[in-house]
Amino acid sequence: MPYSAEHKQRTRAHIVDCARVLFNRKGFAEVSIDEIMASAGLTRGGFYNHFKTKEDLYVEAVAAYRDFNPHERWPQLDFDPARHGSAFARQMVDVYLSQEHLDDIEGHCPMIALPSDVARAGAGVKRAYHGLLERMAGMLAQGAEASAGAEAARQRGLALAALCVGGMVLARTIEDDAFREEIRAAARATAHELID
């Protein structure tokens, strides 16, 4: 008896989630299709029922983060999706630059975990990464458009995204806990200044 469309969709989402975790841990090149499917509890043959190539899966793994809800992953953090404007942007900065996000290798945003992989990837992966950055910048620009205009708000959103991502990339590479915290605190303080 064939599986239902709903079952196939759930299975595909599960494969994407397992792949995202492995890509965050090891990078694109170091993860095999066999490893992804074993992590999902499935066989390699099943992979091709859902994806043509590993890069197609990678595109979906990057794009899946667009709908990420930090409160589901880190419920102890203050995040309210109903907030608007600068209050929403401040909470995004605080969550993005949080210790919880830094410590959660498997849950890292692909912009932190995978930039060098994406730089070497194909056009589909780059488009997904671009879309993720556009979404983040747009969310961080909230509240500035009314007072500064659309172009200034976009520039501010892009600057905030670059500051958050860059701060976390640097913090992720540093072993000294005090220096890691100093990097995150400096990025957070500067981001708050840009928002206010």
Side-chain angles (χ1 to χ4, degrees), residues 17-193:
D17 192 50
C18 291
R20 184 191 52 74
V21 167
L22 289 168
F23 291 144
N24 273 2
R25 270 194 228 146
K26 297 178 161 190
F28 177 77
E30 297 301 315
V31 177
S32 70
I33 291 172
D34 289 334
E35 188 175 4
I36 292 165
M37 296 307 282
S39 175
L42 301 165
T43 63
R44 180 185 179 93
F47 177 87
Y48 298 101
N49 292 328
H50 299 278
F51 306 97
K52 289 181 180 176
T53 66
K54 187 171 87 167
E55 186 162 299
D56 289 342
L57 172 57
Y58 195 56
V59 167
E60 284 202 35
V62 170
Y65 209 84
R66 289 181 58 145
D67 299 318
F68 180 78
N69 180 347
H71 195 65
E72 289 175 7
R73 185 94 184 179
W74 312 300
Q76 69 278 22
L77 295 179
D78 178 30
F79 182 81
D80 180 358
R83 288 187 182 131
H84 295 286
S86 58
F88 183 81
R90 268 193 302 281
Q91 81 175 351
M92 267 194 69
V93 165
D94 290 344
V95 168
Y96 203 89
L97 291 165
S98 70
Q99 185 68 48
E100 289 81 358
H101 188 196
L102 182 63
D103 290 343
D104 187 0
I105 300 298
E106 294 176 354
H108 270 173
C109 170
M111 289 190 293
I112 297 169
L114 308 171
S116 59
D117 278 357
V118 171
R120 292 186 297 269
V125 174
K126 288 179 180 175
R127 278 192 301 276
Y129 196 83
H130 179 140
L132 187 58
L133 176 59
E134 286 277 4
R135 180 166 171 78
M136 181 180 182
M139 293 168 80
L140 287 167
Q142 282 193 24
E145 193 169 322
S147 60
E151 184 57 32
R154 177 174 168 76
Q155 286 180 8
R156 185 182 80 171
L158 287 169
L160 285 166
L163 184 59
C164 289
V165 172
M168 289 296 274
V169 168
L170 290 175
R172 186 179 185 209
T173 64
I174 302 298
E175 290 187 8
D176 180 297
D177 288 342
F179 191 33
R180 285 165 62 133
E181 178 52 32
E182 188 178 0
I183 292 166
R184 287 186 316 106
R188 189 170 39 250
T190 303
H192 281 216
E193 287 173 18

